């Protein structure tokens, strides 16, 4: 039996309630295959489209809600759908297993260089004049986003710890299928009065790698839109990769083979987990081929 952390992309879950309910069922089938094979599974997920929609809706309603609270809302919303779909799928297969969603706070360093260089666009689009007025009024950073308008950008610091790691590990060790670290977790920093939230977005792949390390998982599975990692992507000499050492993965990353906004953080997160202990294995593959990836028939394996 293996302990597996599965990281789902937020985009794979759709852009609205109906799409998300349908896609959660598809995800549940693949995850249930892993459970039925005897693995202990913890599920993490992204929240890109969902948290943006939450932020826009709250802004329109006149509610000024910080990013950690928006992420918490997305954890509940997505967790509800995944928890329901997984519970139904397991019950239909006659598998007796409880599913639990854990609201997860992820600790970041207030001195992380990312805070000096916010890069993650969030929320509504504005014209330039409105954006500059908002910057003057709030002190927040707005940037022009691909010709579509100006948007608020927040930092994306690296996760340093997970406050609920012991809870997640306890539940998993005792037979629960756990959903945690949704949207990369609510970013929190330590201060004199304890922990408090901070406006930021944590990459869900890095958060998943940190969680996998802290709960002593054997395998991190990062599910995306492609079956395998590729080099020379969309070029005549494109090549799919079945297995990489950490050194090989680092070399390809440094050579610029992986796009910053998509495959690069997945490869970097896989490298971090593979380096976290002897025998640790990370797999990058597609949702539809999750079981095949675990058995080595699909996906790209990264390990020392």
């Amino acid at each position: 039996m293996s302990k597996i952390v599965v990281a789902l992309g937020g985009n794979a879950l759709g852009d609205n309630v109906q799409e998300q309910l349908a896609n959660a069922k598809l995800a549940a089938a693949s995850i249930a295959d892993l459970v039925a094979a005897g693995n202990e599974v913890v599920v993490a997920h992204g929240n890109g489209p969902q948290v943006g929609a939450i932020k826009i809706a709250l802004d329109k309603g006149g509610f000024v809600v910080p990013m950690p609270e928006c992420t918490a809302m997305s954890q509940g919303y997505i967790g509800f759908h995944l928890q329901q779909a997984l519970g139904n799928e397991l019950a239909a297969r006659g598998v007796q297993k409880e599913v639990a969603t854990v609201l997860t706070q992820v600790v970041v360093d207030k001195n992380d260089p990312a805070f000096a260089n916010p890069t993650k666009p969030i929320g509504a689009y504005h014209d330039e004049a409105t954006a500059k007025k908002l910057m003057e009024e709030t002190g927040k950073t707005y940037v022009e986003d691909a010709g579509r308008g100006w948007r608020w950008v927040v930092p994306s610091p690296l996760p340093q710890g997970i406050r609920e790691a012991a809870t997640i590990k306890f539940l998993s060790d005792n037979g629960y299928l756990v959903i945690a670290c949704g949207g990369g977790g609510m970013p929190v920093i330590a201060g004199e009065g304890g922990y408090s939230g901070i406006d930021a977005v944590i990459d869900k792949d890095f958060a998943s790698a940190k969680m996998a390390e802290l709960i002593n998982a054997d395998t991190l599975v990062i599910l995306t839109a492609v079956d395998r990692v590729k080099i020379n992507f969309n070029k005549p000499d494109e090549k799919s990769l079945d297995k990489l050492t950490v050194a090989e993965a680092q070399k390809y990353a440094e050579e610029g083979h992986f796009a910053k906004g998509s495959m690069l953080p997945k490869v970097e997160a896989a490298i971090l987990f593979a380096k976290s202990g002897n025998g640790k294995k990370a797999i990058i593959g597609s949702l539809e081929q999750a079981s095949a990836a675990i058995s080595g028939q699909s996906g790209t394996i990264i390990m020392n």
Side-chain angles (χ1 to χ4, degrees):
M1 181 181 73
S2 295
K3 186 183 291 293
I4 301 170
V5 170
V6 176
L8 299 171
N11 288 306
L13 293 170
D15 293 324
N16 56 55
V17 172
Q18 290 73 29
E19 283 185 9
Q20 187 166 291
L21 280 167
N23 291 339
K25 290 181 181 179
L26 295 175
S30 292
I31 294 166
D33 287 342
L34 302 180
V35 174
N39 300 296
E40 291 296 339
V41 179
V42 176
V43 179
H45 60 81
N47 70 346
Q50 297 87 352
V51 78
I54 288 168
K55 180 62 177 167
I56 290 170
L58 290 169
D59 286 348
K60 285 184 177 179
F63 297 97
V64 180
V65 179
M67 279 307 300
E69 282 75 5
C70 291
T71 298
M73 292 177 194
S74 74
Q75 284 190 7
Y77 160 44
I78 300 169
F80 165 50
H81 285 175
L82 287 174
Q83 186 171 318
Q84 183 182 75
L86 286 164
N88 290 342
E89 180 69 26
L90 293 170
R93 298 184 186 206
V95 177
Q96 298 295 315
K97 183 176 282 286
E98 296 295 328
V99 186
T101 300
V102 178
L103 290 178
T104 313
Q105 302 172 86
V106 175
V107 181
V108 299
D109 183 351
K110 64 181 179 182
N111 296 314
D112 189 301
F115 285 105
N117 181 34
T119 57
K120 295 289 185 181
I122 293 291
Y125 293 91
H126 303 280
D127 59 41
E128 184 175 358
T130 301
K132 289 184 175 179
K133 183 179 178 182
L134 287 169
M135 283 191 275
E136 291 176 4
E137 292 175 351
T138 66
K140 295 177 179 178
T141 302
Y142 285 73
V143 300
E144 202 281 325
D145 186 4
R148 295 172 292 184
W150 289 63
R151 298 175 81 191
W152 179 34
V153 286
V154 297
S156 184
L158 289 173
Q160 303 298 322
I162 296 172
R163 296 207 67 201
E164 292 75 22
T167 300
I168 296 164
K169 186 176 188 302
F170 176 84
L171 290 170
S172 179
D173 289 348
N174 285 276
Y176 287 79
L177 197 169
V178 185
I179 301 163
C181 275
M186 288 87 75
V188 297
I189 57 172
E192 291 183 5
Y195 288 91
S196 59
I198 189 167
D199 279 331
V201 171
I202 302 168
D203 184 277
K204 74 100 173 52
D205 296 315
F206 286 117
S208 299
K210 177 58 67 175
M211 177 168 66
E213 173 191 344
L214 294 176
I215 68 172
N216 197 29
D218 305 294
T219 306
L220 169 66
V221 181
I222 299 175
L223 299 178
T224 184
V226 295
D227 289 341
R228 287 185 170 89
V229 175
K230 303 174 188 292
I231 56 172
N232 302 315
F233 186 62
N234 276 342
K235 297 179 180 178
D237 55 346
E238 177 181 288
K239 180 181 178 182
S240 295
L241 305 171
D242 297 331
K243 190 172 183 179
L244 291 170
T245 65
V246 165
E248 288 170 336
Q250 287 176 326
K251 176 176 176 289
Y252 287 134
E254 289 166 2
E255 289 174 352
H257 283 281
F258 312 126
K260 287 185 178 180
S262 55
M263 187 55 73
L264 182 60
K266 293 172 174 55
V267 172
E268 290 176 335
I271 289 170
L272 285 174
F273 178 68
K275 291 169 65 176
S276 70
N278 292 331
K280 301 295 184 181
K281 177 171 63 176
I283 303 171
I284 300 173
S286 70
L287 174 62
E288 295 79 8
Q289 298 293 320
S291 295
I294 293 295
S295 63
Q297 301 170 34
S298 183
T300 301
I301 297 171
I302 298 176
M303 62 188 303
N304 272 323

